[in-house]
Amino acid sequence: MDLAELRRRLDAALERRPRRIAARSDLISAAVLVPVTAGPGGAGGPHVLFSKKSAAVPHHKGQFAFPGGIVEERDGSRVETALREAWEEIRLPADAVEVLGLLDDTETRATQFVITPVVGIVTRPVAFQPDGREIERVIEVPLETLRDPTIFRTELWEVGGEGHDVHFYDVSVEDVIWGATARIVLQVLEVLKQGAG
């Protein structure tokens, strides 16, 4: 699948599927950008970009996430939040992103956030620069790798006395994508399947 086919599938699926909105006043609103790139050097098909949080951040230390953060009053929309944070965290310019749409709101389980994922295609080569304070590095994972069932696993964790499935993508020994970010990846893969029909 190339970027044009990915765009077609995402457009088709996002246009016809109802989006789940979690409007809960007890949760902090956040938005993330799910950046789809052509990959390093533009080869190898679509890639999904993840940022690794530093040990200095207050939440999700050392975990892989999508660029994003808390919705601020000055932000006009969740899209604006996601694009602003992507610029601040990894120097991804807003004008290099073609926003395709929003996925379902995703609640975090260990912290009190509700995340709106914004899917966007990075339309030109960008020299990503992790800010070094919140983000220590960036990885671009081939979409085909994320679709490989051998790197995916689920564990049952108890949180607040309730059992929850926690998903993991073992991209490499050092690079494990899990939690809310893995649930968002699952959504992306499901939407791509829906758009294939």
Side-chain angles (χ1 to χ4, degrees), residues 11 14-16 29 33 37 51 55 62 68 71 75 85 101 107 118 124 129 142 145 149 165 180 187 193 197:
D11 275 344
L14 290 171
E15 190 175 301
R16 65 175 178 251
S29 294
L33 181 66
T37 73
S51 54
V71 176
D75 295 333
E85 288 280 348
E107 296 98 333
V118 177
R124 65 174 190 262
Q129 298 169 33
T145 299
D165 285 338
Q187 271 197 74
K193 271 190 217 162

Side-chain angles (χ1 to χ4, degrees), residues 8-19 190-197:
R8 189 197 67 73
R9 287 192 188 188
L10 286 173
D11 275 344
L14 290 171
E15 190 175 301
R16 65 175 178 251
R17 80 192 278 274
R19 191 176 90 79
E190 185 56 40
V191 167
L192 282 170
K193 271 190 217 162
Q194 291 168 3

Side-chain angles (χ1 to χ4, degrees), residues 46-63:
H47 286 56
V48 180
L49 182 147
F50 300 88
S51 54
K52 185 173 186 187
K53 294 192 175 288
S54 72
V57 296
H59 304 288
H60 312 115
K61 295 177 192 299
Q63 293 182 23

Side-chain angles (χ1 to χ4, degrees), residues 10 14 17 20 30-36 48-50 64-68 101-109 113-120 143 146 152 167-169 177-192:
L10 286 173
L14 290 171
R17 80 192 278 274
R20 189 178 72 78
V32 298
L33 181 66
V34 181
V36 181
V48 180
L49 182 147
F50 300 88
F64 282 98
F66 293 111
L102 308 181
L103 298 174
D104 294 343
D105 285 350
T106 303
E107 296 98 333
T108 58
R109 297 207 170 111
F113 291 97
V114 57
I115 302 165
T116 301
V118 177
V119 181
L143 183 63
L146 295 170
F152 178 76
H167 306 302
F168 296 82
Y169 288 89
I177 294 158
W178 65 282
T181 303
R183 283 186 278 135
I184 293 169
V185 171
L186 270 177
Q187 271 197 74
V188 171
L189 298 180
E190 185 56 40
V191 167
L192 282 170

